[in-house]
């Protein structure tokens, strides 16, 4: 058994293995849902390859950049983790995870985000992080939200000519994944999160005076098809009132019923609009888990966010360091004279970049 970086020519086989584990007959293929993992190119993913050349286990590893305030974080995301049933019980996933963690550290990444929270990950130092409010819009609160947002915008489906404007809105957020227009087009077309939920993706924009001021992508039920999961907001950007108008429109579409909106704690204006409209709110952590890839890289890449001199190098426990940096319930105390520094904001991680 070889445990190593997967070769581009082996990605097709890895996608078929993942599809056999996670999808049902007739479902969109894993290769189509997750092009950043399974498209040939410079791959970062790892596999356990049996002596006959078959992929026994696979762990997808995808690099990306997160903007948070003035800082850019180099990070990796892990997903599509699977083991052929014939090779289970050999600890292959744990060994692949160790290889991925070493790979990320050697690449200069600060964090690794994982789309799961099972013991495989928690034993390796992965912990919950950040904070969100899950808002739920029903017909009554959606009508109130639409009224509060106003009628200043034309709300319409996103078109190909909107990509540069939408990409600009996404990259101007206080915290969010950094996209190129090409990557944005690829991920919008893949509809990964909506596909995993068994829903369809609908992308809308809010236009005022010829300028796009809001964008939202939602996972919603397909027409005349029973919904296996609640409708969910996937990604959004722009002026809070424009985003609110788009969310309200999506919630009021026929067949949606209710719309869930997982809002990161730092998006206070949008949260206030949802709260005032009567949406039900429940607090929780971000999706998935995170671990530190390289401590020095993390401290270096987040230093600009802290605004004040703060030495965290003496914090030995990784879980404690993640909590100090990213948990809004634990603001950083810089000193008695300087007061407290707010937690570093992170995006909600089950957006377009969901893997």
């Amino acid at each position: 058994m070889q445990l190593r970086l997967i070769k581009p020519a082996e990605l097709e086989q890895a996608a078929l293995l993942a599809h056999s584990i996670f999808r049902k007959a007739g479902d969109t293929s894993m290769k189509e849902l997750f092009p950043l993992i399974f498209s040939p190119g410079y791959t970062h993913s790892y596999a356990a390859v049996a002596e006959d050349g078959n992929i026994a286990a696979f762990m997808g590893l995808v690099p990306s950049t997160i903007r948070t305030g003035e800082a850019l974080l180099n990070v990796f995301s892990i997903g599509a983790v699977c083991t052929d049933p014939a090779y289970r019980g050999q600890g292959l996933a744990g060994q692949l995870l160790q290889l991925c963690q070493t790979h990320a550290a050697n690449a200069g990444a600060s964090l690794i985000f994982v789309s799961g929270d099972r013991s495989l990950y928690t034993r390796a130092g992965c912990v919950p992080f950040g904070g969100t409010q899950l808002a739920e819009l029903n017909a009554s609160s959606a009508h109130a939200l639409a009224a509060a947002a106003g009628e200043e915008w034309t709300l319409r489906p996103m078109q190909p000519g909107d990509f540069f404007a939408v990409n600009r809105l996404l990259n101007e957020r206080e915290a969010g994944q950094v996209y190129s227009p090409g990557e944005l087009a690829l991920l919008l077309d893949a509809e990964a999160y909506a596909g995993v939920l068994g829903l369809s993706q609908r992308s809308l924009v809010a236009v005022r005076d010829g300028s796009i001021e809001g964008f939202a992508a939602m996972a919603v039920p397909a027409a005349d098809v029973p919904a296996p999961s609640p409708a969910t907001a996937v990604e959004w950007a722009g002026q809070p009132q424009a985003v609110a108008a788009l969310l309200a429109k999506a919630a009021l579409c026929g067949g949606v019923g209710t719309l869930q909106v997982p809002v990161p704690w730092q998006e206070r204006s949008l949260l206030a609009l949802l709260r005032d409209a009567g949406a039900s709110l429940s607090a929780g952590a971000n999706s998935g888990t995170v671990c530190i890839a390289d401590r020095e890289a993390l401290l270096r890449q987040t230093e600009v966010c802290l605004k004040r001199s703060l030495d965290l190098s003496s914090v030995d426990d990784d879980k404690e360091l993640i909590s100090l940096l990213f948990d809004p319930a634990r603001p950083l105390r810089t000193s008695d004279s300087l007061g407290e520094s707010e937690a570093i904001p992170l995006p909600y991680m089950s957006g377009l970049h969901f893997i």
Side-chain angles (χ1 to χ4, degrees), residues 38-125:
F38 294 113
S39 295
Y42 198 95
T43 182
H44 298 262
S45 302
Y46 280 79
V49 184
E51 291 182 2
D52 59 4
N54 288 325
I55 302 297
F58 174 77
M59 184 167 287
L61 186 66
V62 175
S64 60
T65 300
I66 289 176
R67 180 185 303 280
T68 175
E70 300 175 10
L72 294 174
L73 308 184
N74 298 323
V75 305
F76 279 92
S77 298
I78 285 176
V81 179
C82 54
T83 302
D84 187 311
Y87 295 94
R88 289 177 181 169
Q90 300 180 30
L92 296 178
Q95 295 176 68
L96 291 178
L97 180 56
Q98 291 178 0
L99 290 173
C100 286
Q101 289 176 309
T102 301
H103 181 105
N106 290 339
S110 55
L111 297 169
I112 302 173
F113 293 94
V114 182
S115 59
D117 58 2
R118 59 194 179 103
S119 60
L120 167 66
Y121 308 120
T122 56
R123 288 196 306 266

Side-chain angles (χ1 to χ4, degrees), residues 246-285:
L246 294 170
L247 296 175
K249 180 178 178 64
L252 292 170
C253 284
V256 170
T258 61
L259 178 70
Q260 295 185 347
V261 189
V263 187
W265 62 268
Q266 68 269 10
E267 296 191 32
R268 295 184 176 89
S269 295
L270 181 58
L271 278 169
L273 287 166
L274 290 164
R275 183 182 299 108
D276 292 345
S280 64
L281 296 174
S282 56

Side-chain angles (χ1 to χ4, degrees), residues 27-329:
D27 286 348
T28 304
S29 71
M30 290 289 286
K31 183 178 179 179
E32 292 178 88
L33 287 177
F34 301 105
L36 294 183
I37 298 179
F38 294 113
S39 295
Y42 198 95
T43 182
H44 298 262
S45 302
Y46 280 79
V49 184
E51 291 182 2
D52 59 4
N54 288 325
I55 302 297
F58 174 77
M59 184 167 287
L61 186 66
V62 175
S64 60
T65 300
I66 289 176
R67 180 185 303 280
T68 175
E70 300 175 10
L72 294 174
L73 308 184
N74 298 323
V75 305
F76 279 92
S77 298
I78 285 176
V81 179
C82 54
T83 302
D84 187 311
Y87 295 94
R88 289 177 181 169
Q90 300 180 30
L92 296 178
Q95 295 176 68
L96 291 178
L97 180 56
Q98 291 178 0
L99 290 173
C100 286
Q101 289 176 309
T102 301
H103 181 105
N106 290 339
S110 55
L111 297 169
I112 302 173
F113 293 94
V114 182
S115 59
D117 58 2
R118 59 194 179 103
S119 60
L120 167 66
Y121 308 120
T122 56
R123 288 196 306 266
C126 297
V127 296
F129 65 99
T132 61
Q133 291 282 338
L134 180 63
E136 186 170 281
L137 284 169
N138 57 21
S140 175
S141 54
H143 278 295
L145 184 64
E151 301 180 352
E152 303 175 43
W153 295 276
T154 298
L155 309 180
R156 61 166 175 79
M158 183 179 173
Q159 302 169 357
D162 301 332
F163 272 98
F164 285 117
V166 168
N167 191 64
R168 175 182 55 80
L169 291 180
L170 286 165
N171 289 337
E172 286 178 349
R173 293 175 298 177
E174 180 182 7
Q177 202 83 31
V178 176
Y179 299 109
S180 69
E183 184 183 29
L184 176 62
L186 184 70
L187 294 174
L188 282 172
D189 182 66
E191 301 185 6
Y193 195 44
V196 167
L197 295 176
L199 302 173
S200 298
Q201 188 165 290
R202 182 180 301 156
S203 298
L204 304 174
V205 293
V207 184
R208 180 169 60 176
D209 298 330
S211 178
I212 293 177
E213 297 185 353
F215 158 79
M218 276 77 60
V220 298
D224 302 321
V225 176
S229 305
T232 303
V234 175
E235 192 79 281
W236 59 85
Q239 295 188 16
Q241 290 85 352
V243 171
L246 294 170
L247 296 175
K249 180 178 178 64
L252 292 170
C253 284
V256 170
T258 61
L259 178 70
Q260 295 185 347
V261 189
V263 187
W265 62 268
Q266 68 269 10
E267 296 191 32
R268 295 184 176 89
S269 295
L270 181 58
L271 278 169
L273 287 166
L274 290 164
R275 183 182 299 108
D276 292 345
S280 64
L281 296 174
S282 56
N286 213 313
S287 61
T289 52
V290 69
C291 67
I292 296 174
D294 182 281
R295 173 178 290 266
E296 293 305 316
L298 176 61
L299 294 176
R300 184 172 62 252
Q301 292 171 24
T302 56
E303 184 178 12
V304 67
C305 302
L306 301 178
K307 307 296 184 184
R308 304 182 177 105
S309 175
L310 180 65
D311 182 12
L312 294 178
S313 60
S314 61
V315 181
D316 297 325
D317 183 70
D318 283 359
K319 182 177 181 179
E320 177 73 6
L321 181 56
I322 290 171
S323 178
L324 284 170
L325 287 173
F326 303 116
D327 186 351

